Amino acid sequence: MSILVILLAVVFLGIASGSIGTFTFLRKRALLGDAIAHAVLPGVALGFMVTGTKMPFFLILGACFTGSLSIYLMNTIVQKSKLKMDTAIAVVLSGFFGIGILLITYIQRNYGSEQTGLDKFFFGKAAAMLYSDFIWLFAICILVIVCIYAFYKEFLLISFDKNYAKSVGLNVRLYEFLLSFLTVLVIVTGIQIVGIILMAALLVTPASSARFWTNKLSNLIILSSVIASISGIAGSLLSYSISKMPTGPWIVIFLSLIAVASILFAPKRGVVARNLKSKRLKKKMFHDNILKTFYHLSEADGSFNTLRTSSELRNRRYFEEPKLSLALRDLMKLDLVHQSENKWGLSNEGWIKAKRIVKVHRLWEMYLTKHLRISSDHVHDDADTIEHFISPELEKELEKLLAYPDEDPHHTKIPYT
Amino acid sequence: MEKESIIEAHDLTVSYDKKPVLWDVDFKLPAGLLTGVIGPNGAGKSTLLKTLMGILKPDSGYVKLFGNKLDEVRKKVSYVPQRESVDWDFPASALDVVLMGLYAQKGLFKRINKADREWAMYCLEQLGMQDYKNRQISQLSGGQQQRVFLARSLAQNASLYLMDEPFAGVDATTEKSIIDLLQKMKNDGKSIVVVHHDLQSVNEYFDWLLMVNTRLVASGPTSEVFTQELLEETYGGKLSILSQMAHILKNLEIGRKEHEKI
Ligand SMILES: Nc1ncnc2c1ncn2[C@@H]1O[C@H](COP(=O)(O)OP(=O)(O)OP(=O)(O)O)[C@@H](O)[C@H]1O
Ligand SMILES: [Mg+2]
C-alpha cells in the first residue's frame, strides 16, 4: 500500500480519535477506553472464526459487538453489585483480553500460521492494511467527525453538567450511548494502525496534552486532533522505513513526547512556566525588600540623599550576601539604584517605588487593624508578604476605604507621592 | 380566588439503590411565590428538586408542573444544580456556560449567533458578572461560579426556577443582590424555589416554606410553618444538629438584625 494512503489514513484516524477522545478525557473515561480497546480482541477473533475470512466488515462487526458488550457489562457490574468502576474495568479488561488471546491462539493452531495476520491487532501495522480496510477507516472517521460537528452542543452539555442537560430535556442516555458507540467505532478502526494494547493512548493522550495549551473546548478538539495526526504521521513514517516494525509503539512514543513537552513547557499550566513565575516572584520580592530597606534607613536618620554600603543594608534587614550584590547590580540595570565606589543610593524612580512599597505595607497594616480588628503587633509579618502583591487597583481602594491615613498602626508616617 | 398550583407533588417516594431517601412527599405550591426548601444535610432537598425536574425517577407518585406533565412544559422550567455537582476545571469561559442555557432551544447544527451572545451577556450583567465573561471558569471564585450558574438559568427565560443552594459560598453583599434579583423576578410573575441553609434569613426571604427531612415536615406560608415546633421536628433526631439549632433558635427570638456578617 502506498505510503501516501497510509498517511492519509493516519490523519483521518488522528482527527477522529483526537476529537472523540477529547470527550473521553473530559468525561474522565480514560480507563474505560482502555478496557473497550482490549475487549475488542475476542470480537475480531470471533468475526474471523464465524465467517472464516479476514474481510474487514466482519472483523469490525465482531469488534463492535464485544466492545459494546464490555461497556454494557461494566455498567451493569457497577449498578448491580457494590463494586466500583475501577474494579469493574479491571475485571472486564482482563477477562475479555484473556478470552481474546485464547481465541487467537486457537486460530493460529487450526488455520495455519499465515493467519497470524491477526497479530497485527496487538501492536498495529499500518503497512499491512488492505485497500478494503482503508475504505472502512475513512467511512468511520468521516461519520465520527460529522457526528461531533452535529452534536457538539449536546456532547458538551452532557460532559460538563449531566443533571442540567437532563433538566433541559436532553435525552442524555441517547447522547451518552452515541458517544460510547462512536468511541467503540474509533477504537475498532484504530486498532489496525495503533494496536489494541496502545489504542487508549491515541484516544486520551492527545486531549490531555492539548489541555495544557488551551482553555477553549473547540480549540481543545482541534489541537488534540492535530497532535494525534502529527504523532500518527511521524510514527507511521518511522515504522514504514524500518521493516517488520509495528506502527503503534512509534505513534505512542511521539504522543508521549508531546505530552511530556506539554507538561513541561506549556504556558501558565506547564511546570517550567510555573517555576519561572515563582522565580520571578521571588526576585521581585527580593528587589522590593532592598528598595524598602533604603527607605527605612533614610527614614531612621532623616537623610534621603546619603549613599549606603551593603553592610548598612544588611544591618537593617537580613540579606544573603552574594545575592544582595547581584540584586543591587540588577537594580542598577533597571535604573532604580546608582553606585559610587562602595556605596549605593536610589534613583528618583527607585524612591518612587520604595515609597509605594512602604505605603501599601502600612496601608495593609491599617486595614488589618481597623477592618479585621487584628491587634497591631500581629500585622507586620502579614503585610510583609502582602505588600508585594497589592495591585494598583487594590491600592486605590485601600486608600479610599481608609481615607488616606497619615500614620500606620505603629505611628510611623505613611509616605504618599 | 385561589391561585393555580405551579407544582403538584403526589405521594413521591424516591430511592437510591432501593434505599428510600424521600418518603411520601405530597404538596401543592401556589404560583408566583418565592419558596424556600429547608432541612438538614442529607434530608433529601437536592433529591426533591431533581425529582421535580425529572432528573430522578420516583419509585412511586408523580409530579405535575403548571398542571401538566413535565415534558410538556419543559421550556418554562429552569434548574440550577448545586455548584459542587460539576467539575469546574472544564475548558469553558463564563460566557460559554451561560450560553448553555440556550442550547435546548437551538436545534442540531444551529450555532450560537450574535443575538444569543448579547442575551447571554445581558444575563451575566444581571448578576454583575459582565467583567468576567471571558474568564476561564476554574479561575472564578465559588461565589462567582454560583452566579454564572444563575445567569445560565436566567438565560432560559423560564417561568419556574428551581435552585439548589444558590447562596452557598456567596458573600453577604452578593447574597443581597441575588435575593433582590429573585424578588424582582417574582414581581414579574415568576415562581422560584430555593434550597436554603441559613435559617436566619428565612423569614425575610421566603413567602412559602417546604420543610424536609426524608419526609415532608411542613408546607405552607412561612409565617405559619416557620415555628419552633416544626423546626425542631425538621432538624431533630441528630444531636449535634440539635445543639446547633438551639443556638439558631435562640438568635431567632432576639431578632435577626443583631446578626452581623463581615
Ligand atoms: N447518587 C446517590 N447515591 C446514593 N445515595 C445518595 C445519592 N445522592 C444522595 N444520596 C443520599 O440521599 C440522601 C439525600 O441526599 P440529598 O443530596 O438529597 O440531601 P440534601 O438535603 O440535598 O443535603 P445537602 O444539604 O447536604 O445538600 C442522603 O442520605 C444521601 O447520602
Ligand atoms: Mg443538596
Side-chain angles (χ1 to χ4, degrees):
Chain A
M1 193 58 56
S2 130
I3 181 73
L4 275 182
V5 181
I6 292 178
L7 291 185
L8 197 63
V10 166
V11 168
F12 267 70
L13 178 65
I15 296 172
S17 79
S19 43
I20 206 84
T22 302
F23 291 102
T24 314
F25 166 72
L26 289 175
R27 297 170 72 226
K28 306 182 171 57
R29 298 283 204 278
L31 286 175
L32 206 73
D34 199 23
I36 299 169
H38 283 76
V40 153
L41 183 63
V44 173
L46 278 176
F48 175 78
M49 284 163 69
V50 171
T51 62
T53 71
K54 281 203 285 179
M55 291 246 300
F57 174 75
F58 295 111
L59 300 191
I60 288 174
L61 203 65
C64 283
F65 173 67
T66 51
S68 312
L69 184 67
S70 74
I71 300 181
Y72 174 77
L73 274 181
M74 286 183 278
N75 286 331
T76 318
I77 289 175
V78 172
Q79 270 165 24
K80 297 276 146 93
S81 74
K82 293 237 177 275
L83 293 178
K84 296 277 176 297
M85 197 49 162
D86 60 333
T87 318
I89 287 173
V91 169
V92 168
L93 183 151
S94 42
F96 273 70
F97 195 56
I99 295 173
I101 302 261
L102 276 182
L103 292 179
I104 294 277
T105 319
Y106 175 82
I107 291 171
Q108 286 176 345
R109 289 253 171 82
N110 291 277
Y111 294 82
S113 52
E114 74 271 20
Q115 296 301 350
T116 46
L118 293 178
D119 273 5
K120 70 180 184 206
F121 287 112
F122 286 103
F123 291 111
K125 190 135 183 62
M129 286 172 73
L130 307 172
Y131 182 67
S132 49
D133 293 332
F134 284 110
I135 301 288
W136 279 102
L137 187 146
F138 287 130
I140 289 177
C141 289
I142 287 168
L143 176 72
V144 168
I145 293 160
V146 169
C147 279
I148 288 185
Y149 186 79
F151 303 118
Y152 178 81
K153 297 194 295 288
E154 287 76 6
F155 288 165
L156 187 161
L157 208 51
I158 63 169
S159 304
F160 176 60
D161 193 346
K162 213 159 101 175
N163 282 337
Y164 182 76
K166 273 188 202 165
S167 85
V168 297
L170 204 68
N171 191 339
V172 171
R173 278 175 153 227
L174 177 73
Y175 288 105
E176 280 190 322
F177 173 79
L178 187 61
L179 258 184
S180 306
F181 180 68
L182 293 174
T183 314
V184 171
L185 278 184
V186 168
I187 288 173
V188 169
T189 330
I191 55 173
Q192 303 202 55
I193 293 178
V194 185
I196 285 163
I197 299 176
L198 299 172
M199 185 56 212
L202 187 66
L203 206 57
V204 189
T205 319
S208 52
S209 311
R211 186 68 182 90
F212 280 91
W213 302 90
T214 175
N215 279 328
K216 216 172 151 215
L217 180 59
S218 48
N219 291 349
L220 185 62
I221 293 177
I222 293 169
L223 191 57
S224 53
S225 304
V226 169
I227 291 176
S229 302
I230 289 179
S231 310
I233 291 174
S236 19
L237 279 179
L238 253 179
S239 85
Y240 193 82
S241 55
I242 308 169
S243 68
K244 295 239 164 118
M245 259 299 191
T247 335
W250 283 117
I251 294 181
V252 172
I253 283 175
F254 283 105
L255 281 174
S256 311
L257 283 178
I258 294 177
V260 171
S262 304
I263 293 170
L264 288 179
F265 303 118
K268 284 193 191 151
R269 284 181 169 240
V271 175
V272 173
R274 286 215 307 268
N275 276 348
L276 277 180
K277 192 174 166 203
S278 90
K279 278 235 178 71
R280 262 202 310 272
L281 271 181
K282 281 207 186 109
K283 197 164 165 186
K284 173 180 161 22
M285 288 167 75
F286 200 80
H287 285 176
D288 283 0
N289 286 335
I290 295 175
L291 297 176
K292 195 170 71 176
T293 309
F294 275 106
Y295 185 91
H296 285 153
L297 283 169
S298 306
E299 192 180 43
D301 60 15
S303 139
F304 283 78
N305 293 321
T306 324
L307 299 182
R308 316 278 176 183
T309 61
S310 62
S311 54
E312 263 177 285
L313 290 171
R314 270 185 297 135
N315 287 340
R316 176 79 204 193
R317 185 191 177 102
Y318 173 74
F319 291 109
E320 277 174 41
E321 198 13 286
K323 263 174 118 183
L324 177 60
S325 306
L326 289 175
L328 280 169
R329 218 146 280 149
D330 283 345
L331 286 170
M332 212 161 76
K333 274 187 215 133
L334 294 168
D335 283 332
L336 297 172
V337 160
H338 55 80
Q339 182 188 21
S340 81
E341 291 168 15
N342 278 335
K343 295 191 167 187
W344 308 80
L346 292 186
S347 68
N348 274 341
E349 234 179 294
W351 279 117
I352 292 172
K353 282 212 159 192
K355 273 188 188 167
R356 177 179 181 270
I357 299 157
V358 173
K359 180 182 80 180
V360 295
H361 176 108
R362 292 177 182 173
L363 282 176
W364 187 251
E365 288 186 335
M366 281 307 276
Y367 175 72
L368 291 184
T369 41
K370 283 226 156 157
H371 287 259
L372 303 185
R373 300 202 182 82
I374 297 171
S375 72
S376 58
D377 48 344
H378 279 88
V379 293
H380 175 81
D381 287 346
D382 187 38
D384 225 31
T385 37
I386 294 292
E387 65 188 16
H388 308 288
F389 308 115
I390 290 180
S391 63
E393 297 88 52
L394 210 56
E395 179 186 341
K396 280 207 194 89
E397 260 184 62
L398 279 171
E399 287 176 342
K400 249 207 276 170
L401 185 70
L402 298 162
Y404 297 89
D406 295 327
E407 293 181 340
D408 73 1
H410 320 294
H411 304 295
T412 29
K413 222 172 145 241
I414 298 180
Y416 296 95
T417 34
Chain B
M1 206 171 67
E2 196 177 288
K3 276 188 179 171
E4 80 172 291
S5 309
I6 199 147
I7 302 179
E8 289 175 43
H10 291 273
D11 278 327
L12 290 179
T13 297
V14 192
S15 319
Y16 294 105
D17 303 323
K18 296 188 184 137
K19 182 186 138 221
V21 296
L22 275 181
W23 293 90
D24 282 325
V25 172
D26 195 286
F27 64 88
K28 282 185 183 164
L29 203 65
L33 298 184
L34 190 46
T35 302
V37 181
I38 60 170
N41 290 124
K45 304 179 294 296
S46 300
T47 307
L48 177 61
L49 249 57
K50 284 182 191 158
T51 314
L52 295 177
M53 282 308 304
I55 296 167
L56 292 172
K57 292 263 164 296
D59 296 342
S60 64
Y62 61 95
V63 176
K64 279 195 165 177
L65 303 178
F66 304 92
N68 285 306
K69 281 217 179 100
L70 174 63
D71 281 327
E72 288 156 30
V73 291
R74 188 76 77 170
K75 287 210 169 78
K76 299 204 300 196
V77 200
S78 170
Y79 170 64
V80 180
Q82 229 165 319
R83 183 169 57 86
E84 300 85 42
S85 65
V86 304
D87 177 5
W88 288 89
D89 191 19
F90 190 87
S93 66
L95 188 64
D96 290 338
V97 174
V98 179
L99 285 168
M100 290 178 196
L102 299 170
Y103 282 7
Q105 304 158 20
K106 295 247 146 196
L108 287 182
F109 293 104
K110 286 232 181 69
R111 300 278 130 170
I112 296 294
N113 58 33
K114 193 154 165 264
D116 298 332
R117 263 173 227 287
E118 274 162 13
W119 170 242
M121 270 311 291
Y122 172 77
C123 296
L124 271 175
E125 271 165 35
Q126 294 293 300
L127 288 139
M129 285 290 293
Q130 63 277 17
D131 295 341
Y132 297 92
K133 63 171 175 151
N134 291 324
R135 183 78 70 90
Q136 162 70 13
I137 52 172
S138 64
Q139 319 267 343
L140 295 171
S141 74
Q144 292 167 340
Q145 292 172 344
Q146 193 70 65
R147 282 188 274 168
V148 170
F149 259 6
L150 285 166
R152 175 177 72 175
S153 175
L154 286 192
Q156 283 177 262
N157 200 11
S159 309
L160 169 63
Y161 293 83
L162 304 179
M163 308 181 167
D164 204 343
E165 301 200 25
F167 299 124
V170 161
D171 64 29
T173 334
T174 312
E175 177 165 334
K176 176 84 177 59
S177 69
I178 293 176
I179 198 73
D180 287 346
L181 179 68
L182 298 186
Q183 229 106 43
K184 206 178 95 203
M185 288 162 64
K186 183 184 89 179
N187 294 336
D188 291 343
K190 317 229 164 188
S191 311
I192 303 154
V193 179
V194 175
V195 175
H196 194 57
H197 266 300
D198 182 14
L199 295 181
Q200 314 276 350
S201 46
V202 163
N203 257 323
E204 194 181 333
Y205 290 176
F206 303 117
D207 314 312
W208 194 275
L209 266 194
L210 294 172
M211 302 167 84
V212 182
N213 191 350
T214 55
R215 66 203 186 281
L216 185 67
V217 176
S219 161
T222 309
S223 52
E224 285 171 27
V225 299
F226 196 56
T227 61
Q228 274 204 40
E229 202 189 335
L230 286 173
L231 276 171
E232 271 165 25
E233 202 182 325
T234 311
Y235 287 85
K238 294 167 193 167
L239 278 176
S240 72
I241 287 171
L242 212 61
S243 60
Q244 287 174 37
M245 267 310 297
H247 175 74
I248 293 166
L249 288 175
K250 205 176 94 213
N251 284 344
L252 273 181
E253 295 281 299
I254 300 165
R256 296 179 315 277
K257 291 292 172 232
E258 294 196 8
H259 178 76
E260 190 196 343
K261 278 183 190 157
I262 300 170

